[in-house]
Amino acid sequence: MVAQQQPGDLRHARTGIELRPGLDGVPATQSSICDIDGDQGLLTYRGYPMQDLAANSSFLETAYLLIWGELPSSDQLADFEHAVQMHRRVSFRVRDMMKCFPASGHPMDALQSSAASLGLFYSRRAIDDPQYIYDAVVRLIAKIPTMVAAFQLIRKGQDPIQPRDDLAYSANFLYMLTEREPDPLAARIFDCCLMLHAEHSLNASTFSARVTASTLTDPYAVVASAVGTLAGPLHGGANEDVLAMLEEVGSAGNAGAYLDEAMQAKRKVMGFGHREYKVKDPRAVILQALVEEMFDRFGHDDLYDVARAIEREAESRLGPKGIYPNVDFYSGLVYRKLGIPRDLFTPVFAIARVAGWLAHWREQLGANRIFRPSQIYSGSEPRSWMPIEQRVTSPAA
Ligand code: CMC
């Protein structure tokens, strides 16, 4: 049935429910995974403050916490780390498939395709079996970094490097990507970045994951749909654009003029703004400290001066609207110092966020009802089909 709408009416005719573009402020689920206080700039995973996790935990421990709800005992963590280590390799068939991808293709597209391809190898009919769920979690957390690193080498015309069993999760990823064993501080900072990006409530890609999960499809399809959603420049893709912007601005002295011009042209400043935060994103605060730690140890990057100048100049221009740096503003500077190519910044985000997606997958399965929202129809009234010779060319054609 077509709901009758008056022009400009933003309420559903039958239910009277107001349309909120982008579902702004509309609760779409109940969740016990992550909480954000956007006025205070507070972020907790399962009740633990982000700052405490970043200082004391590891990415795999944090992933365990997110997915199973409690911090692991040392035996549980050792088992989980071991299981992940045992599943890092990907089938030669997946690697061969990746060799057929165009080298010029974006690594997020390669990741989405290869993540989806895992569903071909593992049965999808057991999502109510706890062992299947555990195995799927382990496989996805273990194999996503291997696939990201593999595509990087494949597109350079090289064979992927096999994971090294003596290296921990983050160190192994950096090794597979750069072909060099990383400095322990670099590996620790990278691991911290993964923790910061692991979960963030019902952001676009997590919502996408939950919608896909609600159809009871397999977890590889859940993750592949979320990867596709993360890729966009308003979401995970912003971290790439931030570096391009810093390079375009070029020097700290140009920051004010750049912002004025962007605001006049009504252009978004990349790495700024967040639906949930009205203050500086707490993850940006931690990342900025990590950037400085990186530079103290491995040398300064002048783009950091540009970034700080933009943040300073933006305070008076965007601050009154509650627009401050978000997680993407400083992450690219860390990744750049780690030698990660720019178009891998968003795949790195995906390596981390897979933990949050899987936590939401499990939660969704625990109390599932398929997502099927309504819409406010604004199209034509019912009309009669017209033979082709009587039609005039429509302006849209
Ligand atoms: N630069 C300039 N103005 C902005 C910005 C920005 N980065 N973000 C929001 N605004 C303005 C916007 O122009 C609008 O102004 P007005 O009311 O005068 O028209 C107002 O703030 C509300 O903007 P919105 O786009 O309706 O806000 P939203 O909650 O729908 O969007 C956002 C949130 C993150 C998509 C947006 O802030 C944005 O596009 N930021 C730049 C891209 C970015 O950094 N994305 C990464 C987000 S954090 C990590 C992640 O989720 O992946």
Side-chain angles (χ1 to χ4, degrees), residues 312-363:
R312 232 178 7 253
E313 295 288 341
E315 172 84 43
S316 58
R317 293 165 169 89
L318 297 173
K321 291 171 88 175
I323 298 167
Y324 289 95
N326 61 46
V327 69
D328 287 327
F329 193 60
Y330 287 110
S331 61
L333 287 168
V334 179
Y335 299 152
R336 178 172 139 108
K337 200 73 196 167
L338 288 168
I340 298 175
R342 190 178 306 176
D343 61 1
L344 292 190
F345 293 176
T346 319
V348 163
F349 194 156
I351 290 173
R353 189 54 60 86
V354 74
W357 296 330
L358 291 169
H360 282 268
W361 169 58
R362 278 201 71 227
E363 192 173 64

Side-chain angles (χ1 to χ4, degrees), residues 192-248:
C192 197
C193 290
L194 295 185
M195 282 187 264
L196 292 174
H197 287 83
E199 160 63 6
H200 211 235
S201 80
L202 218 56
N203 55 87
S205 60
T206 301
F207 186 44
S208 172
R210 281 194 89 123
V211 171
T212 309
S214 79
T215 70
L216 302 185
T217 187
D218 68 86
Y220 308 101
V222 168
V223 167
S225 72
V227 169
T229 309
L230 184 69
L234 295 187
H235 193 4
N239 56 12
E240 266 187 53
D241 295 338
V242 169
L243 266 202
M245 174 182 79
L246 298 181
E247 281 173 359
E248 186 187 336

Side-chain angles (χ1 to χ4, degrees), residues 22 102 121 181 183 195 204 227 283 298 316 332 357 363 389:
F121 296 90
E181 191 175 324
D183 180 280
M195 282 187 264
V227 169
R283 298 166 300 172
F298 301 112
S316 58
W357 296 330
E363 192 173 64
E389 56 281 3

